[in-house]
Amino acid sequence: MVPGHSEWKRNLLLVGFMGAGKTTLGGILSKRCRLDFVDTDQLITEQFGLSVADIFSRYGENAFRVAETELLRNLAARCRHSVIATGGGMVLKDENWRVMRQIGPVVFLRADEQELVERLSSATGRPLADDSDREAILERYRQRLPCYLRADLVVETKNQAPLEVVDAILGGLERVNPKWLF
């Protein structure tokens, strides 16, 4: 935690479509603010001992979504002073939104559609993107967009260097709620 900001007792959650940069930016943001970093997809893969693609293949998407919700509940109970990068589908369940709001402010990393398609055009290990064509990826993104827009803060990432996005997150959070100082 950044010295002088003792009122920051919560966490910060990053949401966005797969390939939006949640893990990359979350790592940079956590270092900059001296907060812990949590990646929900990584924790779930460790729990199952399988990749996300293998979890989907072996147990189905629903099992993965159930694990996401259980993980969120656990994070709400024990996680403090952390940047949490969520999986791209975490926003699909209303229950997850209730828990995320308990955990801390939610920031939507809004990436450009063309950038997302380019990032997801080759094999990525993401079961909902691999073997999907451009239109299928965009359709999934557009279906999820209203869920992402429920975030406390929307940060555009197009043509932004990672440090610029981090600055936009920090400045935006302070404007939304001055108690969210870093």
Side-chain angles (χ1 to χ4, degrees):
M1 188 167 79
V2 176
H5 296 291
S6 60
E7 67 273 9
W8 183 261
K9 299 195 180 349
R10 298 174 71 195
N11 306 288
L12 170 65
L13 294 101
L14 301 177
V15 300
F17 198 64
M18 52 190 146
K22 299 177 299 286
T23 299
T24 300
L25 292 165
I28 294 168
L29 185 60
S30 68
K31 286 178 184 158
R32 167 114 173 251
C33 297
R34 293 184 224 134
L35 300 168
D36 293 330
F37 178 64
V38 176
D39 184 303
T40 62
D41 281 353
Q42 179 184 349
L43 291 178
I44 291 170
T45 60
E46 290 171 4
Q47 173 189 339
F48 278 84
L50 298 168
S51 69
V52 173
D54 287 340
I55 296 168
F56 271 64
S57 174
R58 208 178 272 188
Y59 299 106
E61 181 178 358
N62 188 55
F64 185 84
R65 300 294 174 216
V66 168
E68 281 183 323
T69 301
E70 289 175 13
L71 176 59
L72 268 181
R73 287 188 204 123
N74 289 334
L75 291 174
R78 67 176 170 83
C79 200
R80 298 291 177 269
H81 310 293
S82 298
V83 175
I84 302 167
T86 66
M90 185 77 75
V91 299
L92 297 175
K93 294 169 76 175
D94 284 336
E95 179 181 357
N96 290 352
W97 275 104
R98 284 189 294 279
V99 177
M100 286 191 295
R101 298 257 190 246
Q102 294 170 8
I103 294 172
V106 180
V107 176
F108 168 35
L109 299 176
R110 187 173 189 164
D112 177 70
E113 289 184 1
Q114 184 57 39
E115 288 177 350
L116 289 172
V117 169
E118 288 172 13
R119 291 175 190 166
L120 300 171
S121 64
S122 59
T124 62
R126 293 175 171 104
L128 297 178
D130 291 350
D131 301 323
S132 293
D133 64 17
R134 171 181 168 43
E135 289 309 312
I137 290 170
L138 290 175
E139 178 63 25
R140 184 175 305 277
Y141 171 73
R142 291 172 184 151
Q143 286 174 347
R144 291 181 179 181
L145 186 57
C147 296
Y148 296 132
L149 290 171
R150 293 173 65 181
D152 298 300
L153 176 67
V154 176
V155 175
E156 300 286 340
T157 64
K158 183 178 181 177
N159 299 322
Q160 302 281 335
L163 291 177
E164 292 173 314
V165 176
V166 167
D167 287 341
I169 292 169
L170 296 176
L173 285 171
E174 289 179 13
R175 282 189 302 280
V176 171
N177 185 337
K179 291 183 181 180
W180 293 341
L181 295 172
F182 282 86

mmCIF file of all heavy atoms in Angstrom, residues 114-158:
data_model
loop_
_atom_site.group_PDB
_atom_site.id
_atom_site.type_symbol
_atom_site.label_atom_id
_atom_site.label_comp_id
_atom_site.label_asym_id
_atom_site.label_seq_id
_atom_site.Cartn_x
_atom_site.Cartn_y
_atom_site.Cartn_z
ATOM 1 N N GLN A 114 -10.826 -3.920 -32.628
ATOM 2 C CA GLN A 114 -9.827 -4.429 -33.574
ATOM 3 C C GLN A 114 -8.604 -4.976 -32.838
ATOM 4 O O GLN A 114 -8.062 -6.015 -33.205
ATOM 5 C CB GLN A 114 -9.402 -3.332 -34.567
ATOM 6 C CG GLN A 114 -8.451 -3.816 -35.640
ATOM 7 C CD GLN A 114 -9.005 -4.980 -36.455
ATOM 8 O OE1 GLN A 114 -10.190 -5.030 -36.788
ATOM 9 N NE2 GLN A 114 -8.158 -5.933 -36.776
ATOM 10 N N GLU A 115 -8.173 -4.284 -31.777
ATOM 11 C CA GLU A 115 -7.043 -4.774 -30.984
ATOM 12 C C GLU A 115 -7.374 -6.119 -30.343
ATOM 13 O O GLU A 115 -6.533 -7.018 -30.305
ATOM 14 C CB GLU A 115 -6.666 -3.761 -29.904
ATOM 15 C CG GLU A 115 -5.978 -2.515 -30.437
ATOM 16 C CD GLU A 115 -5.693 -1.492 -29.340
ATOM 17 O OE1 GLU A 115 -6.191 -1.657 -28.195
ATOM 18 O OE2 GLU A 115 -4.973 -0.527 -29.637
ATOM 19 N N LEU A 116 -8.584 -6.252 -29.836
ATOM 20 C CA LEU A 116 -8.979 -7.523 -29.229
ATOM 21 C C LEU A 116 -8.933 -8.652 -30.246
ATOM 22 O O LEU A 116 -8.407 -9.731 -29.961
ATOM 23 C CB LEU A 116 -10.391 -7.411 -28.635
ATOM 24 C CG LEU A 116 -10.537 -6.551 -27.389
ATOM 25 C CD1 LEU A 116 -12.008 -6.379 -27.034
ATOM 26 C CD2 LEU A 116 -9.768 -7.140 -26.221
ATOM 27 N N VAL A 117 -9.492 -8.411 -31.418
ATOM 28 C CA VAL A 117 -9.500 -9.437 -32.455
ATOM 29 C C VAL A 117 -8.068 -9.821 -32.818
ATOM 30 O O VAL A 117 -7.749 -11.012 -32.948
ATOM 31 C CB VAL A 117 -10.288 -8.966 -33.699
ATOM 32 C CG1 VAL A 117 -10.072 -9.895 -34.874
ATOM 33 C CG2 VAL A 117 -11.764 -8.852 -33.365
ATOM 34 N N GLU A 118 -7.185 -8.849 -32.967
ATOM 35 C CA GLU A 118 -5.789 -9.141 -33.300
ATOM 36 C C GLU A 118 -5.122 -9.961 -32.200
ATOM 37 O O GLU A 118 -4.398 -10.918 -32.475
ATOM 38 C CB GLU A 118 -5.017 -7.845 -33.541
ATOM 39 C CG GLU A 118 -5.394 -7.157 -34.831
ATOM 40 C CD GLU A 118 -4.783 -5.768 -34.982
ATOM 41 O OE1 GLU A 118 -3.862 -5.420 -34.202
ATOM 42 O OE2 GLU A 118 -5.232 -5.035 -35.883
ATOM 43 N N ARG A 119 -5.347 -9.588 -30.943
ATOM 44 C CA ARG A 119 -4.737 -10.311 -29.823
ATOM 45 C C ARG A 119 -5.268 -11.739 -29.715
ATOM 46 O O ARG A 119 -4.577 -12.625 -29.219
ATOM 47 C CB ARG A 119 -4.996 -9.578 -28.511
ATOM 48 C CG ARG A 119 -4.266 -8.266 -28.412
ATOM 49 C CD ARG A 119 -4.645 -7.534 -27.146
ATOM 50 N NE ARG A 119 -4.130 -6.177 -27.166
ATOM 51 C CZ ARG A 119 -4.512 -5.223 -26.334
ATOM 52 N NH1 ARG A 119 -5.416 -5.483 -25.399
ATOM 53 N NH2 ARG A 119 -3.997 -4.021 -26.420
ATOM 54 N N LEU A 120 -6.499 -11.946 -30.136
ATOM 55 C CA LEU A 120 -7.134 -13.251 -29.988
ATOM 56 C C LEU A 120 -7.145 -14.067 -31.273
ATOM 57 O O LEU A 120 -7.713 -15.155 -31.307
ATOM 58 C CB LEU A 120 -8.568 -13.072 -29.480
ATOM 59 C CG LEU A 120 -8.702 -12.383 -28.124
ATOM 60 C CD1 LEU A 120 -10.160 -12.064 -27.826
ATOM 61 C CD2 LEU A 120 -8.086 -13.220 -27.020
ATOM 62 N N SER A 121 -6.485 -13.572 -32.319
ATOM 63 C CA SER A 121 -6.560 -14.235 -33.621
ATOM 64 C C SER A 121 -5.722 -15.506 -33.693
ATOM 65 O O SER A 121 -5.983 -16.372 -34.510
ATOM 66 C CB SER A 121 -6.146 -13.277 -34.732
ATOM 67 O OG SER A 121 -4.795 -12.907 -34.571
ATOM 68 N N SER A 122 -4.723 -15.649 -32.850
ATOM 69 C CA SER A 122 -3.936 -16.880 -32.834
ATOM 70 C C SER A 122 -4.299 -17.674 -31.582
ATOM 71 O O SER A 122 -4.982 -17.173 -30.696
ATOM 72 C CB SER A 122 -2.448 -16.549 -32.854
ATOM 73 O OG SER A 122 -2.108 -15.761 -31.732
ATOM 74 N N ALA A 123 -3.844 -18.894 -31.508
ATOM 75 C CA ALA A 123 -4.131 -19.737 -30.352
ATOM 76 C C ALA A 123 -3.645 -19.065 -29.080
ATOM 77 O O ALA A 123 -2.487 -18.675 -28.974
ATOM 78 C CB ALA A 123 -3.487 -21.106 -30.526
ATOM 79 N N THR A 124 -4.547 -18.901 -28.144
ATOM 80 C CA THR A 124 -4.238 -18.176 -26.912
ATOM 81 C C THR A 124 -4.422 -19.027 -25.658
ATOM 82 O O THR A 124 -4.085 -18.580 -24.576
ATOM 83 C CB THR A 124 -5.171 -16.953 -26.776
ATOM 84 O OG1 THR A 124 -6.521 -17.421 -26.691
ATOM 85 C CG2 THR A 124 -5.014 -15.994 -27.935
ATOM 86 N N GLY A 125 -5.008 -20.213 -25.809
ATOM 87 C CA GLY A 125 -5.350 -21.015 -24.647
ATOM 88 C C GLY A 125 -6.661 -20.582 -24.014
ATOM 89 O O GLY A 125 -7.031 -21.048 -22.954
ATOM 90 N N ARG A 126 -7.354 -19.668 -24.684
ATOM 91 C CA ARG A 126 -8.659 -19.201 -24.194
ATOM 92 C C ARG A 126 -9.732 -19.976 -24.958
ATOM 93 O O ARG A 126 -9.929 -19.764 -26.148
ATOM 94 C CB ARG A 126 -8.806 -17.702 -24.437
ATOM 95 C CG ARG A 126 -7.848 -16.866 -23.616
ATOM 96 C CD ARG A 126 -7.977 -15.399 -24.010
ATOM 97 N NE ARG A 126 -7.243 -14.532 -23.133
ATOM 98 C CZ ARG A 126 -6.079 -13.971 -23.449
ATOM 99 N NH1 ARG A 126 -5.516 -14.210 -24.618
ATOM 100 N NH2 ARG A 126 -5.481 -13.169 -22.589
ATOM 101 N N PRO A 127 -10.441 -20.845 -24.264
ATOM 102 C CA PRO A 127 -11.367 -21.732 -24.972
ATOM 103 C C PRO A 127 -12.495 -21.029 -25.696
ATOM 104 O O PRO A 127 -13.021 -21.560 -26.667
ATOM 105 C CB PRO A 127 -11.918 -22.640 -23.862
ATOM 106 C CG PRO A 127 -11.636 -21.921 -22.598
ATOM 107 C CD PRO A 127 -10.430 -21.071 -22.831
ATOM 108 N N LEU A 128 -12.883 -19.837 -25.266
ATOM 109 C CA LEU A 128 -13.976 -19.143 -25.937
ATOM 110 C C LEU A 128 -13.491 -18.255 -27.081
ATOM 111 O O LEU A 128 -14.293 -17.626 -27.749
ATOM 112 C CB LEU A 128 -14.786 -18.323 -24.923
ATOM 113 C CG LEU A 128 -15.475 -19.149 -23.847
ATOM 114 C CD1 LEU A 128 -16.216 -18.253 -22.869
ATOM 115 C CD2 LEU A 128 -16.412 -20.182 -24.451
ATOM 116 N N ALA A 129 -12.162 -18.211 -27.287
ATOM 117 C CA ALA A 129 -11.619 -17.430 -28.401
ATOM 118 C C ALA A 129 -10.950 -18.327 -29.438
ATOM 119 O O ALA A 129 -11.080 -18.089 -30.635
ATOM 120 C CB ALA A 129 -10.617 -16.396 -27.904
ATOM 121 N N ASP A 130 -10.228 -19.324 -28.975
ATOM 122 C CA ASP A 130 -9.546 -20.215 -29.913
ATOM 123 C C ASP A 130 -10.579 -20.880 -30.810
ATOM 124 O O ASP A 130 -11.659 -21.257 -30.372
ATOM 125 C CB ASP A 130 -8.725 -21.261 -29.165
ATOM 126 C CG ASP A 130 -7.516 -20.650 -28.461
ATOM 127 O OD1 ASP A 130 -7.218 -19.465 -28.713
ATOM 128 O OD2 ASP A 130 -6.870 -21.364 -27.672
ATOM 129 N N ASP A 131 -10.256 -20.986 -32.052
ATOM 130 C CA ASP A 131 -11.146 -21.565 -33.063
ATOM 131 C C ASP A 131 -12.387 -20.712 -33.338
ATOM 132 O O ASP A 131 -13.330 -21.184 -33.956
ATOM 133 C CB ASP A 131 -11.579 -22.991 -32.690
ATOM 134 C CG ASP A 131 -10.394 -23.926 -32.539
ATOM 135 O OD1 ASP A 131 -9.420 -23.782 -33.311
ATOM 136 O OD2 ASP A 131 -10.432 -24.779 -31.633
ATOM 137 N N SER A 132 -12.385 -19.474 -32.846
ATOM 138 C CA SER A 132 -13.482 -18.558 -33.161
ATOM 139 C C SER A 132 -13.025 -17.576 -34.224
ATOM 140 O O SER A 132 -11.883 -17.129 -34.206
ATOM 141 C CB SER A 132 -13.901 -17.762 -31.919
ATOM 142 O OG SER A 132 -14.470 -18.611 -30.955
ATOM 143 N N ASP A 133 -13.921 -17.260 -35.131
ATOM 144 C CA ASP A 133 -13.558 -16.268 -36.140
ATOM 145 C C ASP A 133 -13.808 -14.865 -35.592
ATOM 146 O O ASP A 133 -14.344 -14.680 -34.501
ATOM 147 C CB ASP A 133 -14.307 -16.505 -37.450
ATOM 148 C CG ASP A 133 -15.818 -16.331 -37.333
ATOM 149 O OD1 ASP A 133 -16.303 -15.723 -36.349
ATOM 150 O OD2 ASP A 133 -16.514 -16.778 -38.245
ATOM 151 N N ARG A 134 -13.409 -13.895 -36.380
ATOM 152 C CA ARG A 134 -13.502 -12.482 -35.982
ATOM 153 C C ARG A 134 -14.911 -12.109 -35.534
ATOM 154 O O ARG A 134 -15.098 -11.485 -34.505
ATOM 155 C CB ARG A 134 -13.055 -11.623 -37.179
ATOM 156 C CG ARG A 134 -13.275 -10.155 -37.041
ATOM 157 C CD ARG A 134 -12.816 -9.429 -38.312
ATOM 158 N NE ARG A 134 -13.153 -8.073 -38.504
ATOM 159 C CZ ARG A 134 -13.136 -7.071 -37.646
ATOM 160 N NH1 ARG A 134 -12.816 -7.274 -36.416
ATOM 161 N NH2 ARG A 134 -13.446 -5.843 -37.974
ATOM 162 N N GLU A 135 -15.895 -12.495 -36.306
ATOM 163 C CA GLU A 135 -17.283 -12.128 -35.992
ATOM 164 C C GLU A 135 -17.763 -12.782 -34.702
ATOM 165 O O GLU A 135 -18.496 -12.163 -33.927
ATOM 166 C CB GLU A 135 -18.209 -12.460 -37.157
ATOM 167 C CG GLU A 135 -18.020 -11.533 -38.352
ATOM 168 C CD GLU A 135 -18.067 -10.045 -37.972
ATOM 169 O OE1 GLU A 135 -18.994 -9.620 -37.246
ATOM 170 O OE2 GLU A 135 -17.156 -9.304 -38.399
ATOM 171 N N ALA A 136 -17.373 -14.019 -34.458
ATOM 172 C CA ALA A 136 -17.783 -14.697 -33.228
ATOM 173 C C ALA A 136 -17.167 -14.020 -32.001
ATOM 174 O O ALA A 136 -17.828 -13.855 -30.972
ATOM 175 C CB ALA A 136 -17.391 -16.174 -33.280
ATOM 176 N N ILE A 137 -15.897 -13.613 -32.120
ATOM 177 C CA ILE A 137 -15.226 -12.912 -31.013
ATOM 178 C C ILE A 137 -15.929 -11.584 -30.749
ATOM 179 O O ILE A 137 -16.232 -11.246 -29.598
ATOM 180 C CB ILE A 137 -13.727 -12.714 -31.333
ATOM 181 C CG1 ILE A 137 -13.007 -14.064 -31.282
ATOM 182 C CG2 ILE A 137 -13.095 -11.712 -30.367
ATOM 183 C CD1 ILE A 137 -11.586 -14.036 -31.813
ATOM 184 N N LEU A 138 -16.187 -10.836 -31.811
ATOM 185 C CA LEU A 138 -16.847 -9.537 -31.643
ATOM 186 C C LEU A 138 -18.265 -9.680 -31.099
ATOM 187 O O LEU A 138 -18.695 -8.869 -30.274
ATOM 188 C CB LEU A 138 -16.856 -8.770 -32.969
ATOM 189 C CG LEU A 138 -15.491 -8.262 -33.436
ATOM 190 C CD1 LEU A 138 -15.601 -7.621 -34.818
ATOM 191 C CD2 LEU A 138 -14.912 -7.284 -32.427
ATOM 192 N N GLU A 139 -18.976 -10.701 -31.528
ATOM 193 C CA GLU A 139 -20.330 -10.930 -31.026
ATOM 194 C C GLU A 139 -20.300 -11.207 -29.527
ATOM 195 O O GLU A 139 -21.106 -10.664 -28.767
ATOM 196 C CB GLU A 139 -21.004 -12.084 -31.776
ATOM 197 C CG GLU A 139 -22.396 -12.409 -31.281
ATOM 198 C CD GLU A 139 -23.393 -11.262 -31.453
ATOM 199 O OE1 GLU A 139 -23.216 -10.406 -32.335
ATOM 200 O OE2 GLU A 139 -24.370 -11.235 -30.678
ATOM 201 N N ARG A 140 -19.368 -12.047 -29.090
ATOM 202 C CA ARG A 140 -19.252 -12.348 -27.656
ATOM 203 C C ARG A 140 -18.910 -11.078 -26.880
ATOM 204 O O ARG A 140 -19.472 -10.801 -25.826
ATOM 205 C CB ARG A 140 -18.190 -13.427 -27.415
ATOM 206 C CG ARG A 140 -18.093 -13.838 -25.952
ATOM 207 C CD ARG A 140 -17.113 -14.988 -25.750
ATOM 208 N NE ARG A 140 -17.407 -16.132 -26.574
ATOM 209 C CZ ARG A 140 -18.296 -17.087 -26.300
ATOM 210 N NH1 ARG A 140 -18.993 -17.004 -25.179
ATOM 211 N NH2 ARG A 140 -18.481 -18.095 -27.100
ATOM 212 N N TYR A 141 -17.974 -10.280 -27.409
ATOM 213 C CA TYR A 141 -17.599 -9.027 -26.746
ATOM 214 C C TYR A 141 -18.807 -8.090 -26.641
ATOM 215 O O TYR A 141 -19.079 -7.540 -25.576
ATOM 216 C CB TYR A 141 -16.461 -8.342 -27.502
ATOM 217 C CG TYR A 141 -16.169 -6.953 -26.994
ATOM 218 C CD1 TYR A 141 -15.528 -6.767 -25.774
ATOM 219 C CD2 TYR A 141 -16.557 -5.832 -27.716
ATOM 220 C CE1 TYR A 141 -15.277 -5.493 -25.282
ATOM 221 C CE2 TYR A 141 -16.305 -4.552 -27.239
ATOM 222 C CZ TYR A 141 -15.668 -4.393 -26.026
ATOM 223 O OH TYR A 141 -15.429 -3.130 -25.550
ATOM 224 N N ARG A 142 -19.525 -7.935 -27.724
ATOM 225 C CA ARG A 142 -20.669 -7.020 -27.733
ATOM 226 C C ARG A 142 -21.787 -7.500 -26.805
ATOM 227 O O ARG A 142 -22.485 -6.677 -26.198
ATOM 228 C CB ARG A 142 -21.172 -6.835 -29.159
ATOM 229 C CG ARG A 142 -20.174 -6.046 -30.005
ATOM 230 C CD ARG A 142 -20.536 -6.009 -31.464
ATOM 231 N NE ARG A 142 -19.499 -5.332 -32.224
ATOM 232 C CZ ARG A 142 -19.227 -5.600 -33.494
ATOM 233 N NH1 ARG A 142 -19.929 -6.501 -34.161
ATOM 234 N NH2 ARG A 142 -18.251 -4.952 -34.105
ATOM 235 N N GLN A 143 -21.943 -8.810 -26.665
ATOM 236 C CA GLN A 143 -22.940 -9.341 -25.728
ATOM 237 C C GLN A 143 -22.550 -9.027 -24.287
ATOM 238 O O GLN A 143 -23.410 -8.761 -23.452
ATOM 239 C CB GLN A 143 -23.081 -10.850 -25.900
ATOM 240 C CG GLN A 143 -23.825 -11.257 -27.143
ATOM 241 C CD GLN A 143 -23.815 -12.764 -27.347
ATOM 242 O OE1 GLN A 143 -23.070 -13.504 -26.706
ATOM 243 N NE2 GLN A 143 -24.642 -13.225 -28.278
ATOM 244 N N ARG A 144 -21.265 -9.069 -24.002
ATOM 245 C CA ARG A 144 -20.786 -8.828 -22.637
ATOM 246 C C ARG A 144 -20.632 -7.343 -22.297
ATOM 247 O O ARG A 144 -20.571 -6.993 -21.120
ATOM 248 C CB ARG A 144 -19.427 -9.513 -22.427
ATOM 249 C CG ARG A 144 -19.518 -11.019 -22.411
ATOM 250 C CD ARG A 144 -18.161 -11.624 -22.171
ATOM 251 N NE ARG A 144 -18.233 -13.069 -22.120
ATOM 252 C CZ ARG A 144 -17.193 -13.855 -21.894
ATOM 253 N NH1 ARG A 144 -16.000 -13.312 -21.703
ATOM 254 N NH2 ARG A 144 -17.337 -15.150 -21.869
ATOM 255 N N LEU A 145 -20.549 -6.510 -23.300
ATOM 256 C CA LEU A 145 -20.274 -5.094 -23.072
ATOM 257 C C LEU A 145 -21.201 -4.447 -22.034
ATOM 258 O O LEU A 145 -20.722 -3.736 -21.148
ATOM 259 C CB LEU A 145 -20.295 -4.321 -24.396
ATOM 260 C CG LEU A 145 -19.887 -2.860 -24.339
ATOM 261 C CD1 LEU A 145 -18.481 -2.692 -23.761
ATOM 262 C CD2 LEU A 145 -19.968 -2.242 -25.741
ATOM 263 N N PRO A 146 -22.516 -4.673 -22.071
ATOM 264 C CA PRO A 146 -23.365 -4.062 -21.036
ATOM 265 C C PRO A 146 -22.970 -4.491 -19.616
ATOM 266 O O PRO A 146 -23.090 -3.708 -18.676
ATOM 267 C CB PRO A 146 -24.774 -4.552 -21.389
ATOM 268 C CG PRO A 146 -24.716 -4.869 -22.842
ATOM 269 C CD PRO A 146 -23.326 -5.377 -23.083
ATOM 270 N N CYS A 147 -22.502 -5.711 -19.472
ATOM 271 C CA CYS A 147 -22.048 -6.180 -18.158
ATOM 272 C C CYS A 147 -20.789 -5.432 -17.730
ATOM 273 O O CYS A 147 -20.678 -4.994 -16.579
ATOM 274 C CB CYS A 147 -21.775 -7.679 -18.183
ATOM 275 S SG CYS A 147 -23.232 -8.683 -18.506
ATOM 276 N N TYR A 148 -19.844 -5.282 -18.637
ATOM 277 C CA TYR A 148 -18.607 -4.559 -18.317
ATOM 278 C C TYR A 148 -18.897 -3.106 -17.937
ATOM 279 O O TYR A 148 -18.244 -2.541 -17.064
ATOM 280 C CB TYR A 148 -17.631 -4.575 -19.491
ATOM 281 C CG TYR A 148 -17.114 -5.938 -19.874
ATOM 282 C CD1 TYR A 148 -17.111 -6.347 -21.206
ATOM 283 C CD2 TYR A 148 -16.610 -6.817 -18.922
ATOM 284 C CE1 TYR A 148 -16.628 -7.583 -21.572
ATOM 285 C CE2 TYR A 148 -16.131 -8.062 -19.284
ATOM 286 C CZ TYR A 148 -16.137 -8.446 -20.611
ATOM 287 O OH TYR A 148 -15.649 -9.675 -20.972
ATOM 288 N N LEU A 149 -19.870 -2.519 -18.606
ATOM 289 C CA LEU A 149 -20.174 -1.105 -18.378
ATOM 290 C C LEU A 149 -20.826 -0.839 -17.017
ATOM 291 O O LEU A 149 -21.023 0.317 -16.652
ATOM 292 C CB LEU A 149 -21.052 -0.562 -19.511
ATOM 293 C CG LEU A 149 -20.326 -0.435 -20.858
ATOM 294 C CD1 LEU A 149 -21.315 -0.102 -21.970
ATOM 295 C CD2 LEU A 149 -19.203 0.587 -20.784
ATOM 296 N N ARG A 150 -21.082 -1.874 -16.248
ATOM 297 C CA ARG A 150 -21.580 -1.706 -14.879
ATOM 298 C C ARG A 150 -20.455 -1.285 -13.928
ATOM 299 O O ARG A 150 -20.712 -0.986 -12.764
ATOM 300 C CB ARG A 150 -22.207 -3.015 -14.386
ATOM 301 C CG ARG A 150 -23.473 -3.394 -15.127
ATOM 302 C CD ARG A 150 -23.990 -4.760 -14.741
ATOM 303 N NE ARG A 150 -24.410 -4.821 -13.351
ATOM 304 C CZ ARG A 150 -24.877 -5.924 -12.775
ATOM 305 N NH1 ARG A 150 -24.996 -7.047 -13.465
ATOM 306 N NH2 ARG A 150 -25.235 -5.910 -11.501
ATOM 307 N N ALA A 151 -19.231 -1.263 -14.409
ATOM 308 C CA ALA A 151 -18.067 -0.941 -13.571
ATOM 309 C C ALA A 151 -18.159 0.478 -13.017
ATOM 310 O O ALA A 151 -18.848 1.341 -13.571
ATOM 311 C CB ALA A 151 -16.781 -1.099 -14.388
ATOM 312 N N ASP A 152 -17.432 0.700 -11.930
ATOM 313 C CA ASP A 152 -17.359 2.031 -11.326
ATOM 314 C C ASP A 152 -16.614 3.015 -12.213
ATOM 315 O O ASP A 152 -16.880 4.213 -12.179
ATOM 316 C CB ASP A 152 -16.642 1.956 -9.973
ATOM 317 C CG ASP A 152 -17.380 1.074 -8.994
ATOM 318 O OD1 ASP A 152 -18.546 1.395 -8.691
ATOM 319 O OD2 ASP A 152 -16.804 0.067 -8.541
ATOM 320 N N LEU A 153 -15.682 2.494 -12.989
ATOM 321 C CA LEU A 153 -14.848 3.332 -13.849
ATOM 322 C C LEU A 153 -14.565 2.590 -15.139
ATOM 323 O O LEU A 153 -14.246 1.401 -15.114
ATOM 324 C CB LEU A 153 -13.526 3.663 -13.136
ATOM 325 C CG LEU A 153 -12.490 4.456 -13.914
ATOM 326 C CD1 LEU A 153 -12.978 5.878 -14.187
ATOM 327 C CD2 LEU A 153 -11.165 4.486 -13.144
ATOM 328 N N VAL A 154 -14.687 3.291 -16.266
ATOM 329 C CA VAL A 154 -14.337 2.739 -17.571
ATOM 330 C C VAL A 154 -13.075 3.454 -18.041
ATOM 331 O O VAL A 154 -13.035 4.687 -18.078
ATOM 332 C CB VAL A 154 -15.476 2.947 -18.597
ATOM 333 C CG1 VAL A 154 -15.057 2.449 -19.979
ATOM 334 C CG2 VAL A 154 -16.756 2.260 -18.124
ATOM 335 N N VAL A 155 -12.050 2.671 -18.374
ATOM 336 C CA VAL A 155 -10.788 3.232 -18.848
ATOM 337 C C VAL A 155 -10.525 2.707 -20.250
ATOM 338 O O VAL A 155 -10.427 1.496 -20.458
ATOM 339 C CB VAL A 155 -9.616 2.875 -17.901
ATOM 340 C CG1 VAL A 155 -8.291 3.364 -18.466
ATOM 341 C CG2 VAL A 155 -9.859 3.457 -16.520
ATOM 342 N N GLU A 156 -10.442 3.632 -21.193
ATOM 343 C CA GLU A 156 -10.137 3.279 -22.578
ATOM 344 C C GLU A 156 -8.643 2.961 -22.688
ATOM 345 O O GLU A 156 -7.806 3.718 -22.192
ATOM 346 C CB GLU A 156 -10.477 4.449 -23.512
ATOM 347 C CG GLU A 156 -11.937 4.877 -23.484
ATOM 348 C CD GLU A 156 -12.867 3.922 -24.191
ATOM 349 O OE1 GLU A 156 -12.408 3.110 -25.030
ATOM 350 O OE2 GLU A 156 -14.075 3.987 -23.898
ATOM 351 N N THR A 157 -8.323 1.863 -23.362
ATOM 352 C CA THR A 157 -6.917 1.462 -23.489
ATOM 353 C C THR A 157 -6.347 1.679 -24.886
ATOM 354 O O THR A 157 -5.151 1.533 -25.088
ATOM 355 C CB THR A 157 -6.740 -0.021 -23.111
ATOM 356 O OG1 THR A 157 -7.465 -0.838 -24.036
ATOM 357 C CG2 THR A 157 -7.216 -0.283 -21.687
ATOM 358 N N LYS A 158 -7.197 2.054 -25.841
ATOM 359 C CA LYS A 158 -6.757 2.201 -27.230
ATOM 360 C C LYS A 158 -5.645 3.244 -27.344
ATOM 361 O O LYS A 158 -5.757 4.353 -26.818
ATOM 362 C CB LYS A 158 -7.928 2.616 -28.124
ATOM 363 C CG LYS A 158 -7.541 2.715 -29.588
ATOM 364 C CD LYS A 158 -8.721 3.074 -30.453
ATOM 365 C CE LYS A 158 -8.277 3.143 -31.898
ATOM 366 N NZ LYS A 158 -9.389 3.407 -32.792
#
